Amino acid sequence: MAVVAIIHRAQVNPSKNALLRAWVPKQPWIGSVDCSTLERVDAYRFDDPDGEVGIETHLLRSADGRILQVPLTYRGAPLDGAETALIATMDHSVLGERWVYDACCDPVYVSAVATAILTGGAGVDLVFADSADRIPVTAHVVGSGTAGASVPEVESVTCSTVGTDTIISAGELELTVVRVIDADRVSGSATLTGTWPGQPNPALLAFVG
């Protein structure tokens, strides 16, 4: 049975789009990208095995046509030691107050991405909590690894910016998240690639090593 993420039919305040439009233009990895407008293109999710943390990566189109990758995590309580990674809190009409983080600084996200990359995993299917009806998924991501491969345990992370990439260090694991997508970029490392409407050829999203 495929792993799924449970989605609630809910109102959130402020909206995710409002949070992103306020936060993204201030980030050091944005470079020379024109963020005067940001349009949602698509999104994909990973699963938290403990069922506590929402993991959602947003794909946005900038005013100059670049595709930006912005992973967020949603938590029901603050993440210890991650005050600088907190983007905002929002009110969720079903789950209550949620703490929204830059996911690159969240060990649950880092573990999920590393697992997908190293074991050949993929983004999860989506279902509504109140009906189990499937939600169409149009952004498809997949890791280059092999099922059963070992994945380092992730307990804490540190992040740095190099150009338009975020470099994440977590013990013996180094994970690079590509923030500004270059359709022609390749990596010889273990990779996560994705496709979505308007991007039919796999684009590099993240890599280990």
Side-chain angles (χ1 to χ4, degrees):
M1 180 178 297
V3 176
V4 299
I6 306 300
I7 306 298
H8 298 275
R9 302 180 199 266
Q11 298 295 319
V12 295
N13 183 40
S15 70
K16 295 174 186 177
N17 285 341
L19 292 179
L20 291 166
R21 287 169 181 157
W23 183 77
V24 168
K26 302 174 184 177
Q27 300 315 300
W29 44 261
I30 207 65
S32 61
V33 175
D34 181 353
C35 291
S36 57
T37 62
L38 291 173
E39 173 191 4
R40 183 185 185 277
V41 173
D42 217 321
Y44 64 91
R45 285 184 178 253
F46 289 116
D47 176 62
D48 170 19
D50 294 329
E52 295 294 328
V53 180
I55 307 171
E56 184 176 33
T57 297
H58 298 263
L59 300 170
L60 308 176
R61 181 179 291 108
S62 66
D64 50 0
R66 307 299 301 274
I67 301 297
L68 311 180
Q69 180 178 213
V70 189
L72 303 180
T73 51
Y74 312 113
R75 288 177 166 265
L79 173 61
D80 289 343
E83 292 79 10
T84 60
L86 179 66
I87 296 174
T89 59
M90 67 183 183
D91 180 65
H92 190 288
S93 61
V94 175
L95 300 176
E97 189 170 15
R98 304 291 281 171
W99 280 256
V100 184
Y101 288 93
D102 175 0
C104 290
C105 301
D106 191 321
V108 172
Y109 165 80
V110 175
S111 180
V113 175
T115 298
I117 290 173
L118 296 173
T119 68
V124 298
D125 293 335
L126 309 178
V127 298
F128 283 117
D130 58 358
S131 66
D133 289 341
R134 296 273 171 162
I135 304 170
V137 173
T138 52
H140 301 282
V141 300
V142 63
S144 63
T146 305
S150 63
V151 180
E153 186 173 349
V154 177
E155 295 182 352
S156 63
V157 301
T158 58
C159 296
S160 60
T161 298
V162 177
T164 55
D165 292 342
T166 295
I167 312 300
I168 303 166
S169 297
E172 63 185 90
L173 176 73
E174 182 173 281
L175 173 68
T176 298
V177 175
V178 179
R179 298 289 205 161
V180 181
I181 305 302
D182 179 349
D184 297 322
R185 184 174 177 181
V186 297
S187 171
S189 306
T191 62
L192 181 77
T193 58
T195 61
W196 53 89
Q199 180 59 49
N201 298 317
L204 180 66
L205 301 174
F207 56 92
V208 169

